[in-house]
Amino acid sequence: MFEKIKIFFEELETDSLESKKDVLEDILSLAKEEGLIEIDKGKKVDDLKIVQTKYFGKKGIISDLMKYMGKVSNKDKPILGKIIHNFKTTLEDKLNQRFTVLKKTEINAKLETEKIDITLPGTNSQRGHKHPLTLVEEQIKEIFTNIGFTVVEGFEIEEDYYNFERLNIPKDHPAREMQDTFYLNEDVVLRTHTSPVQARIMDKMCPQLPVKIIAPGKVFRRDDDSTHSPMFHQIEGLMVDKNITFADLKGVLLHLVKSIFGEERKIRLRPSYFPFTEPSAEVDVSCGNCNQEGCRVCGYTGWLEILGSGMVHPSVLEMAGYNSNEVTGFAFGIGIERIAMLKYGIDDMRLLFDNDLRFLEQF
Ligand code: PHE
């Protein structure tokens, strides 16, 4: 086709186009027929794009024809323009029509294959839930905030000074051996209990009264078996004010136990020893498994040990700046794992840390 057009214009030379325009029109009408057939043959949008380039591209027939516009005489320009225009618009219209049809077909085909069947059953995403330790911690926090306690937090990495000395446990005190301590250096430890928060909060509050806080958090000891883990959780409780007595401690703990385990449960306080409380008491809850008949869970005693407590030692109050002749206080430390194990009947503490979903899903 290019060739025929080229020859036509070569032969045209100086002759006017007007007299020979029939010849050019014939050539182009053939070209047009050919083009229309090619457009019809295109079955895909991509096929059509190839045809489009052939006619309308930079090196296509139309841009080739346009070159001759510059070469013919001014008089012939409108004649050639008209012929080219006619050729061009016919093909253009046809191409556009065909593009529209093919694009629609392709979109429909795509929609067909990507169709979503909304009647199919969906895949359920697994729903997360709270860890039993979190449940127990949240419950205890709620019990205490309901009676006016504030929740505070201490540091997991703690100074020896707060973990021990401020709690009446000097460097050579034998009580240090009760707690196998992870030392980071001579003066810094991973806290072995939440009790250092007692000293820290009293430092902050003194001389204000009352101090009425609980402090939940992680604690660390060099211990690892079915009832001990090197990391476990405690909740510290501290109340300091004028006229706080041992009866207040007992009342608060009974309220706690009944709220967690049920109204029918009882508590028992046994004399104990902690350097930072005097007197000190170990607190037991009546066994709910056997109703105190005696069973394996309670070691045939009818009682289960759940926490340590006592009246804040006068020295501990004094070190914080309180006058121990005027104010008194009680404190307690609850092991969250221990409570969770009793509440849910878990017999190995390690289950709480393995994070086996088959275990966790039961709560
Ligand atoms: N800190 C003690 C422990 O971890 C528990 C405790 C807290 C005892 C507060 C008395 C008062 O064993």
Side-chain angles (χ1 to χ4, degrees):
M1 194 57 55
F2 290 92
E3 202 49 35
K4 275 191 190 161
I5 294 168
K6 200 174 150 200
I7 295 169
F8 171 81
F9 281 102
E10 270 168 14
E11 285 176 353
L12 186 66
E13 290 207 327
T14 50
D15 288 359
S16 87
L17 181 62
E18 195 162 19
S19 55
K20 289 195 175 175
K21 76 171 197 197
D22 292 354
V23 183
L24 182 61
E25 272 172 349
D26 280 348
I27 296 171
L28 286 186
S29 110
L30 266 176
K32 198 154 75 182
E33 287 309 313
E34 225 172 83
L36 292 176
I37 291 167
E38 278 179 80
I39 291 168
D40 264 334
K41 272 202 204 147
K43 292 284 174 273
K44 285 186 290 183
V45 172
D46 283 348
D47 297 341
L48 226 50
K49 282 185 182 158
I50 295 170
V51 181
Q52 187 179 37
T53 317
K54 178 172 168 188
Y55 288 90
F56 294 91
K58 255 192 191 157
K59 292 181 180 162
I61 295 174
I62 289 167
S63 89
D64 201 49
L65 279 169
M66 293 302 281
K67 280 183 215 145
Y68 295 108
M69 279 295 269
K71 292 180 183 158
V72 296
S73 66
N74 280 347
K75 207 173 131 240
D76 286 342
K77 275 192 175 67
I79 298 166
L80 181 58
K82 213 171 173 184
I83 294 171
I84 297 174
H85 178 77
N86 176 283
F87 177 71
K88 187 177 143 190
T89 46
T90 313
L91 286 176
E92 214 165 45
D93 290 349
K94 179 76 183 174
L95 256 177
N96 286 340
Q97 268 174 30
R98 192 75 186 137
F99 264 128
T100 314
V101 172
L102 290 183
K103 273 184 186 153
K104 215 173 184 169
T105 323
E106 285 182 15
I107 285 172
N108 284 341
K110 201 168 168 200
L111 285 178
E112 192 61 33
T113 55
E114 291 176 3
K115 192 154 76 178
I116 294 167
D117 183 351
I118 55 161
T119 64
L120 283 173
T123 43
N124 275 331
S125 54
Q126 260 199 4
R127 186 132 178 237
H129 48 254
K130 289 175 180 169
H131 191 281
L133 290 177
T134 308
L135 293 172
V136 170
E137 184 182 312
E138 287 185 350
Q139 189 188 7
I140 295 175
K141 282 202 282 204
E142 187 174 342
I143 291 166
F144 281 103
T145 50
N146 281 345
I147 55 172
F149 281 71
T150 306
V151 180
V152 299
E153 271 184 46
F155 304 116
E156 290 171 7
I157 294 174
E158 184 56 283
E159 291 170 42
D160 179 286
Y161 175 70
Y162 280 103
N163 195 79
F164 294 121
E165 304 209 9
R166 284 293 300 275
L167 296 167
N168 227 8
I169 317 173
K171 280 252 192 287
D172 54 356
H173 197 286
R176 289 211 176 196
E177 288 180 16
M178 285 163 64
Q179 310 187 341
D180 283 311
T181 311
F182 287 109
Y183 278 87
L184 297 185
N185 64 38
E186 223 182 299
D187 305 316
V188 181
V189 300
L190 295 183
R191 68 175 174 192
T192 57
H193 50 184
T194 42
S195 299
V197 186
Q198 288 186 35
R200 285 194 176 272
I201 198 74
M202 281 192 280
D203 277 1
K204 207 167 161 186
M205 297 275 296
C206 188
Q208 271 168 269
L209 288 171
V211 179
K212 232 178 143 184
I213 59 99
I214 56 162
K218 290 183 168 67
V219 300
F220 308 84
R221 291 184 201 176
R222 296 167 41 154
D223 244 342
D224 200 4
D225 59 43
S226 67
T227 52
H228 296 92
S229 152
M231 184 283 293
F232 60 103
H233 300 80
Q234 289 189 332
I235 295 188
E236 193 78 9
L238 174 70
M239 177 156 185
V240 177
D241 202 355
K242 289 188 171 148
N243 302 319
I244 299 292
T245 70
F246 205 85
D248 296 315
L249 170 64
K250 193 173 173 183
V252 165
L253 293 178
L254 185 61
H255 171 65
L256 169 74
V257 163
K258 287 180 180 243
S259 308
I260 297 176
F261 295 106
E263 273 302 313
E264 70 291 355
R265 304 294 275 270
K266 292 179 280 191
I267 60 169
R268 174 175 84 169
L269 275 68
R270 277 180 294 110
S272 184
Y273 171 73
F274 297 103
F276 38 95
T277 49
E278 182 58 33
S280 303
E282 209 84 58
V283 179
D284 298 340
V285 55
S286 55
C287 182
N289 190 48
C290 63
N291 271 320
Q292 299 198 281
E293 301 280 318
C295 68
R296 225 171 50 93
V297 177
C298 59
Y300 301 95
T301 63
W303 294 99
L304 302 155
E305 187 187 316
I306 51 163
L307 60 91
S309 66
M311 299 306 289
V312 181
H313 196 290
S315 315
V316 174
L317 291 171
E318 294 286 341
M319 282 188 268
Y322 286 108
N323 180 346
S324 63
N325 293 316
E326 285 173 11
V327 303
T328 50
F330 65 72
F332 55 85
I334 312 167
I336 302 182
E337 281 77 4
R338 176 92 180 131
I339 302 288
M341 288 169 79
L342 292 174
K343 182 170 174 181
Y344 299 118
I346 300 163
D347 57 7
D348 190 329
M349 190 186 284
R350 289 170 289 204
L351 287 168
L352 290 168
F353 300 114
D354 286 346
N355 287 332
D356 185 328
L357 285 180
R358 290 167 301 180
F359 169 77
L360 293 178
E361 271 162 1
Q362 299 172 43
F363 301 93

